[in-house]
Amino acid sequence: MEATLPARPAYQPALPANWAQLSAKDGQRFVETLHFPEHYVYRLPNVHVTWDGGVFHNLRLFLPSIVHPRFAGRFQDTLLLRQWVGEKVVLPTPCVAVCHNQWSVNNYYHWLIDTLPRLLVLRQTHPDILLLLPQHWPATQPRDYIGRSAAALGFTNHRLLHARQILRAGCVVLPELTAPSLTQNPELIRQVRAELLAALHPKPVVATRRVYAARDSSGVRHMENEHEIDLLLQAYGFEKVYFDKLSFLEQIQLMGETAVFMGVHGAAMTNMLFLPQQAPVMELLNRDCGELCYARLASCLGLTYFFVACTASEPALGNQSAMVCDIAELEEAIVAALS
């Protein structure tokens, strides 16, 4: 262990702006206190690293390098054997930093909200260290937000590792997550927002657009009554956007022009990070088991948040189920957000 970062005081995220209008069951979900234990920066000698951030020595996995101990089974057997028979990479530099894990390697939310605060911590003690980044395969399908955001925080010295490779490192510096999964450290999140906007969107514009972040009708959590939603949103001047079709810089630019932001629960909602301070946020979320990470993120950023409760069409699928939105409740939330 190289450094210990103190625990942050617990806090209660802000309630949704329409909390008084929610049912008792829906509203109670948002009454919570978040706790932030102390976390650590580790220095690990003579280890191997997978492209998605797993760190191990021989057949022993370093648990803080994975999302949760229950995921340890994914790293057993053939994956760990690659240290002897796989495509190995050895670096000329004595030390490399790892700040991503198995969720952030492929997920926009987890990269921006989990990994970037870890980079802020790393920068305090190792500002010039070589940073390991995941290279998506094939390389013709890059995640442009990964390299751009890391560079915006000062980490331009990168080494890419793809899924077929195993890195052999004489030393790995690994900062832990700065908050429990699906929560956020408010101070670090606000710092991430400020630095990304300063580096990637330095010129504010007048925000006038009303944007709806939609999900593909064939994917998880799509809206089964999307046609009804579209008709209502058209009446209120919203434009429908599929954020996965936009580059990272295009997403930032669009958010700077957005006066009202609505979306179905999913990674596109992470873009509230780049909204003007006065822009309200509305989230269409499974009322029974949807994660509250975006309500918490809005609270960190001081944004006004509205919860639009949706019903799962296949409850057995949990948070992955398609949903149906009550159009009357949606319109009520829109009217409140626009007032």
Side-chain angles (χ1 to χ4, degrees):
M1 190 181 304
E2 183 163 281
T4 301
L5 288 89
R8 184 199 183 278
Y11 90 107
Q12 294 182 332
L15 296 173
N18 59 337
W19 186 79
Q21 284 72 51
L22 303 179
S23 70
K25 180 181 177 182
D26 289 338
Q28 186 59 38
R29 296 184 61 207
F30 293 91
V31 180
E32 60 177 348
T33 299
L34 301 181
H35 299 273
F36 299 86
E38 64 181 11
H39 53 284
Y40 309 102
V41 178
Y42 298 96
R43 178 183 287 267
L44 307 168
N46 301 317
V47 291
H48 291 81
V49 187
T50 64
W51 87 295
D52 56 356
V55 178
F56 60 97
H57 177 70
N58 290 333
L59 295 178
R60 185 178 180 183
L61 183 66
F62 186 61
L63 291 181
S65 72
I66 64 174
V67 170
H68 190 277
R70 68 175 179 270
F71 290 94
R74 298 184 184 183
F75 290 87
Q76 301 305 312
D77 304 326
T78 56
L79 180 60
L80 300 187
L81 290 176
R82 288 188 193 174
Q83 63 188 295
W84 294 295
V85 299
E87 181 182 344
K88 294 180 286 295
V89 175
V90 179
L91 300 178
T93 183
C95 213
V96 63
V98 177
C99 290
H100 63 279
N101 62 28
Q102 302 73 54
W103 281 356
S104 58
V105 73
N106 265 324
N107 185 279
Y108 188 67
Y109 168 88
H110 289 290
W111 179 267
L112 294 181
I113 306 304
D114 291 348
T115 293
L116 296 191
R118 296 170 75 180
L119 290 184
L120 295 180
V121 171
L122 178 68
R123 196 174 65 187
Q124 295 178 26
T125 54
H126 299 81
D128 301 316
I129 195 169
L130 178 66
L131 178 65
L132 187 69
L133 293 182
Q135 176 179 319
H136 289 79
W137 193 264
T140 54
Q141 298 178 352
R143 306 295 196 270
D144 71 320
Y145 59 86
I146 291 179
R148 286 186 181 275
S149 60
L153 299 188
F155 290 92
T156 56
N157 187 18
H158 305 155
R159 176 58 166 90
L160 298 176
L161 194 72
H162 65 68
R164 299 178 183 179
Q165 297 174 318
I166 293 290
L167 172 68
R168 180 179 177 181
C171 163
V172 164
V173 174
L174 187 145
E176 277 191 309
L177 288 169
T178 61
S181 182
L182 301 175
T183 70
Q184 309 92 17
N185 181 303
E187 292 78 18
L188 292 179
I189 287 297
R190 289 193 288 269
Q191 185 178 348
V192 166
R193 165 192 160 83
E195 294 197 23
L196 291 183
L197 286 176
L200 303 176
H201 189 54
K203 296 182 179 180
V205 297
V206 177
T208 59
R209 299 169 72 171
R210 299 175 181 179
V211 172
Y212 169 55
R215 293 184 67 85
D216 191 293
S217 60
S218 63
V220 299
R221 277 185 249 116
H222 68 270
M223 304 306 302
E224 293 204 336
N225 58 338
E226 186 83 11
H227 180 65
E228 293 178 84
I229 295 171
D230 288 346
L231 292 176
L232 178 65
L233 296 186
Q234 289 169 16
Y236 282 94
F238 281 81
E239 54 186 295
K240 187 175 184 177
V241 177
Y242 292 96
F243 277 76
D244 58 347
K245 308 298 183 184
L246 303 178
S247 71
F248 184 43
L249 294 184
E250 288 171 336
Q251 293 178 69
I252 295 175
Q253 176 68 33
L254 174 57
M255 288 293 92
E257 300 169 359
T258 298
V260 183
F261 183 44
M262 177 192 299
V264 182
H265 178 81
M269 293 295 295
T270 312
N271 284 298
M272 71 173 74
L273 197 64
F274 310 116
L275 281 173
Q277 195 66 48
Q278 69 276 13
V281 174
M282 288 173 278
E283 182 183 17
L284 281 63
L285 179 65
N286 188 321
R287 72 188 327 142
D288 293 318
C289 60
E291 295 288 354
L292 302 184
C293 53
Y294 296 110
R296 299 175 188 129
L297 179 57
S299 179
C300 286
L301 298 170
L303 297 171
T304 302
Y305 171 90
F306 292 83
F307 169 61
V308 181
C310 299
T311 303
S313 56
E314 298 181 73
L317 295 179
N319 193 36
Q320 303 302 303
S321 173
M323 298 182 290
V324 176
C325 177
D326 185 298
I327 298 300
E329 290 187 17
L330 176 58
E331 184 168 22
E332 182 180 359
I334 291 173
V335 170
L338 296 179
S339 62

